[in-house]
Amino acid sequence: MTLGWEKRSGRRIPVNCPVHIMLKDEREFLGLAHDLSVDGVLFDCPVQLAEAEEAEIKLLPPEGSRIEPLKAVIQVIRCDSTDSPHRFMIAAAMRVTK
């Protein structure tokens, strides 16, 4: 089922929270998650990621929060350059992990 004109299966919820990105080659980066859906995430990243590349992310709650970070394995759907140098917008499908 799609909502309105969107082709996505779920609504995107703005989150604007830090995201810790761990690549398969063990490099780690910090980015900013912009929105979440039931099965996807949009975040910025300081490195370009390839389509279909897998990584692990951890969405970090505000400092002092009792909420645990949300951990997920992602697969990159697309990676777009931005107007800022060394910043890329990553759209990815995700699977929540424990």
Side-chain angles (χ1 to χ4, degrees), residues 2-93:
T2 59
L3 302 172
W5 295 100
E6 289 285 338
K7 292 185 179 183
R8 297 178 179 132
S9 59
R11 287 198 171 146
R12 294 276 175 171
I13 308 298
V15 290
N16 294 317
C17 64
V19 61
H20 182 225
I21 306 146
M22 297 146 287
L23 303 182
K24 294 287 185 182
D25 64 8
E26 299 186 6
R27 290 182 297 155
E28 298 183 13
F29 301 97
L30 193 60
L32 182 69
H34 294 275
D35 63 42
L36 280 175
S37 72
V38 173
D39 58 359
V41 61
L42 179 70
F43 63 94
D44 69 42
C45 184
V47 295
Q48 189 171 10
L49 302 180
E51 185 177 324
E53 183 173 351
E54 289 192 351
E56 187 175 315
I57 62 169
K58 188 179 346 178
L59 296 175
L60 307 172
E63 193 169 321
S65 174
R66 293 182 183 181
I67 298 171
E68 292 291 319
L70 172 71
K71 297 179 185 178
V73 173
I74 60 155
Q75 184 173 32
V76 175
I77 296 169
R78 72 173 184 279
C79 176
D80 299 320
S81 58
T82 68
D83 292 337
S84 300
H86 308 291
R87 293 317 274 181
F88 300 88
M89 290 301 290
I90 311 294

